[in-house]
Amino acid sequence: MRKLFALIAVLGMLTFGASSMLKAQEATEATETEQVETTTTVISSSDEDVVESTSLHAAIKQKFIEGGAGFMAAVILCLIFGLAIAIERVIYLNLSDTNTKKLVAGVEDALNNGGVEAAKDYCRNQRGPVASIFYQGLMRYDQGVDMVEKSVVSYGSVQMGLLEKGLTWISLFIAIAPMMGFLGTVIGMIEAFDNIQAAGDMSPALVAGGIKVALITTVGGLIVAMILQVFFNYCNSKIEGIVNNMEDASVSLLDILVKYNQKNK
């Protein structure tokens, strides 16, 4: 009897152990399944991103080819050269834009404390067209205030020309880019009508191909023109602000020199 109870107890322990092992194995399998599903989801998402970026690049490339390599290349060159000049102008104009009030105050302090030579040294160490104009005016101080005024006006025109340098090329590319697009449009329409004439039938497929090429070149040219127009207007606005500061600062310089003359008579 005791042996029977012992045998039953052993069997119960074995059964409990086997069930525990089965539960642990099932939990492990479930965890592994979740990890596999998560990894599959991440891989699928990354694959979708890669496919999306690849498809976007492929779509742009395909539109470029459909628009005609010759005309689309000309439009892209207008964009590249126009942006190169525009970025150079933006950097130059931002470096030329200085605090004129601080410059005028510095010139006045140098003039009162160290004379004309000290004012020249101060202007020589400052950047921007206003400092250059002040330096040229101070160089003519010994010839009188009238000569200083003429020198400031003359050199101001020179500095204005330097500020506007390159804008003509930007405006040229703004005009050429849509013209190239319209030229591609006209040629595409001519090709469409040539295909119709050769086929002897008014097939929508023949017309659609030529019109599609025409529209792509037109869109490309207009996009390039709009991008360059933004930079062109920004540069013009920046130049107007700098020129206004130059004129105000020049008047202030003449007033300072008149006061300095009256003080040292």
Side-chain angles (χ1 to χ4, degrees):
M1 202 60 185
R2 290 178 179 177
K3 292 181 178 180
L4 181 60
F5 284 131
L7 181 60
I8 293 172
V10 171
L11 290 174
M13 292 175 65
L14 292 173
T15 304
F16 179 76
S19 62
S20 299
M21 291 177 65
L22 288 173
K23 289 180 179 180
Q25 185 177 1
E26 290 177 356
T28 303
E29 291 178 353
T31 303
E32 291 177 352
T33 303
E34 291 178 356
Q35 292 177 351
V36 171
E37 291 177 353
T38 303
T39 304
T40 304
T41 303
V42 172
I43 293 173
S44 300
S45 301
S46 61
D47 290 341
E48 289 177 357
D49 294 337
V50 172
V51 170
E52 184 177 356
S53 62
T54 304
S55 62
L56 178 61
H57 179 268
I60 295 174
K61 183 179 179 181
Q62 183 65 28
K63 294 299 181 183
F64 180 84
I65 296 173
E66 290 176 355
F71 291 103
M72 293 302 291
V75 172
I76 295 298
L77 286 177
C78 290
L79 176 62
I80 293 173
F81 291 128
L83 281 179
I85 298 173
I87 292 172
E88 185 271 335
R89 285 290 89 192
V90 169
I91 295 173
Y92 179 84
L93 293 174
N94 280 280
L95 292 176
S96 299
D97 191 8
T98 56
N99 190 346
T100 55
K101 293 182 179 180
K102 181 179 178 181
L103 178 63
V104 171
V107 170
E108 186 174 7
D109 291 339
L111 191 63
N112 293 328
N113 296 325
V116 177
E117 293 300 325
K120 288 180 184 179
D121 292 336
Y122 180 80
C123 293
R124 190 184 296 113
N125 295 325
Q126 302 298 317
R127 63 177 176 85
V130 180
S132 299
I133 292 171
F134 280 14
Y135 181 78
Q136 293 296 324
L138 292 171
M139 289 287 290
R140 305 291 188 277
Y141 175 76
D142 56 344
Q143 301 177 15
V145 178
D146 292 336
M147 286 301 298
V148 172
E149 183 179 0
K150 291 179 181 179
S151 176
V152 166
V153 172
S154 300
Y155 201 70
S157 300
V158 174
Q159 289 296 323
M160 187 181 298
L162 293 176
L163 293 175
E164 295 176 348
K165 182 181 178 181
L167 293 184
T168 304
W169 289 104
I170 299 176
S171 61
L172 175 64
F173 292 131
I174 291 173
I176 287 180
M179 286 182 182
M180 296 299 296
F182 293 145
L183 181 60
T185 300
V186 174
I187 292 177
M189 297 299 292
I190 292 173
E191 290 179 354
F193 285 110
D194 286 340
N195 293 333
I196 294 172
Q197 184 179 9
D201 184 17
M202 188 65 179
S203 175
L206 296 175
V207 180
I211 295 176
K212 184 178 182 181
V213 173
L215 294 177
I216 291 173
T217 55
T218 302
V219 169
L222 292 175
I223 291 174
V224 170
M226 286 188 291
I227 294 172
L228 295 180
Q229 188 67 51
V230 172
F231 284 95
F232 183 78
N233 288 351
Y234 173 82
C235 291
N236 275 331
S237 176
K238 201 72 175 177
I239 290 171
E240 290 178 0
I242 294 173
V243 169
N244 289 332
N245 292 332
M246 287 167 52
E247 293 175 352
D248 293 338
S250 298
V251 174
S252 299
L253 176 64
L254 294 176
D255 292 338
I256 291 171
L257 291 178
V258 170
K259 292 179 182 178
Y260 181 77
N261 276 340
Q262 293 175 354
K263 181 180 177 180
N264 290 277
K265 278 183 178 180

